[in-house]
Coordinates of all heavy atoms in Angstrom, one line a residue:
T241 N 6.2 2.0 -7.0 CA 5.0 2.7 -6.7 C 3.9 2.2 -7.7 O 4.2 1.5 -8.7 CB 5.1 4.2 -6.8 OG1 5.5 4.5 -8.2 CG2 6.2 4.8 -5.9
S242 N 2.7 2.6 -7.4 CA 1.5 2.0 -8.2 C 1.5 2.4 -9.6 O 0.8 1.8 -10.4 CB 0.2 2.4 -7.5 OG 0.1 1.9 -6.2
G243 N 2.1 3.5 -10.0 CA 2.1 3.9 -11.4 C 0.8 4.6 -11.8 O 0.4 4.6 -12.9
T244 N 0.1 5.2 -10.8 CA -1.1 5.9 -11.1 C -0.8 7.2 -11.9 O -1.7 7.5 -12.8 CB -1.8 6.4 -9.7 OG1 -1.8 5.2 -8.9 CG2 -3.2 6.9 -9.9
T245 N 0.3 7.8 -11.7 CA 0.6 9.0 -12.4 C 1.6 8.9 -13.5 O 2.1 9.9 -14.0 CB 1.0 10.1 -11.4 OG1 2.0 9.6 -10.6 CG2 -0.2 10.5 -10.6
K249 N 8.1 4.3 -9.8 CA 9.4 4.6 -9.3 C 9.9 3.5 -8.3 O 9.1 3.0 -7.5 CB 9.4 5.9 -8.5 CG 8.9 7.1 -9.4 CD 8.6 8.3 -8.6 CE 7.2 8.4 -8.0 NZ 6.1 8.9 -8.9
Q389 N 2.3 6.7 1.5 CA 2.7 6.4 0.1 C 3.7 5.2 0.2 O 4.3 5.0 1.2 CB 3.4 7.6 -0.4 CG 2.6 8.9 -0.3 CD 3.4 10.1 -1.0 OE1 4.5 10.4 -0.6 NE2 2.7 10.8 -1.8
T390 N 3.8 4.6 -1.0 CA 4.8 3.5 -1.1 C 6.2 4.1 -0.6 O 6.9 3.4 0.2 CB 5.0 3.1 -2.5 OG1 3.7 2.7 -3.0 CG2 5.9 1.9 -2.7
E391 N 6.4 5.3 -0.9 CA 7.7 6.0 -0.6 C 7.9 6.0 0.9 O 9.0 5.9 1.4 CB 7.7 7.4 -1.1 CG 7.8 7.5 -2.6 CD 6.4 7.5 -3.3 OE1 5.4 7.0 -2.7 OE2 6.3 7.9 -4.5
Y466 N 10.9 14.3 -6.2 CA 10.3 14.7 -4.9 C 10.8 16.0 -4.3 O 10.1 16.7 -3.5 CB 10.6 13.6 -3.8 CG 10.1 12.2 -4.3 CD1 11.0 11.2 -4.6 CD2 8.8 11.9 -4.4 CE1 10.6 10.0 -5.0 CE2 8.3 10.7 -4.8 CZ 9.3 9.7 -5.1 OH 8.8 8.5 -5.5
T477 N 4.7 15.6 -1.5 CA 3.9 14.4 -1.6 C 3.1 14.3 -2.9 O 2.5 13.3 -3.3 CB 2.8 14.3 -0.5 OG1 1.9 15.4 -0.6 CG2 3.4 14.3 0.9
L478 N 3.1 15.5 -3.6 CA 2.3 15.6 -4.9 C 0.8 15.4 -4.6 O 0.1 15.0 -5.5 CB 2.8 14.6 -5.9 CG 4.3 14.7 -6.3 CD1 4.8 13.6 -7.1 CD2 4.7 16.1 -6.9
D479 N 0.4 15.6 -3.4 CA -1.0 15.6 -3.1 C -1.5 17.0 -2.6 O -0.7 17.6 -1.9 CB -1.3 14.5 -2.0 CG -1.2 13.1 -2.5 OD1 -1.8 12.9 -3.6 OD2 -0.6 12.3 -1.9
R494 N -4.5 14.3 -6.0 CA -3.2 14.5 -6.5 C -3.0 15.9 -7.2 O -4.0 16.4 -7.7 CB -2.8 13.4 -7.5 CG -2.8 12.1 -6.8 CD -3.0 11.0 -7.8 NE -3.3 9.7 -7.2 CZ -2.3 8.9 -6.8 NH1 -1.1 9.2 -7.1 NH2 -2.6 7.8 -6.2
Ligands
MG2 MG1 2.7 8.4 -5.9

Side-chain angles (χ1 to χ4, degrees):
T241 60
S242 298
T244 309
T245 50
K249 300 170 277 274
Q389 307 182 307
T390 305
E391 291 87 341
Y466 306 109
T477 62
L478 305 170
D479 286 315
R494 295 156 191 274

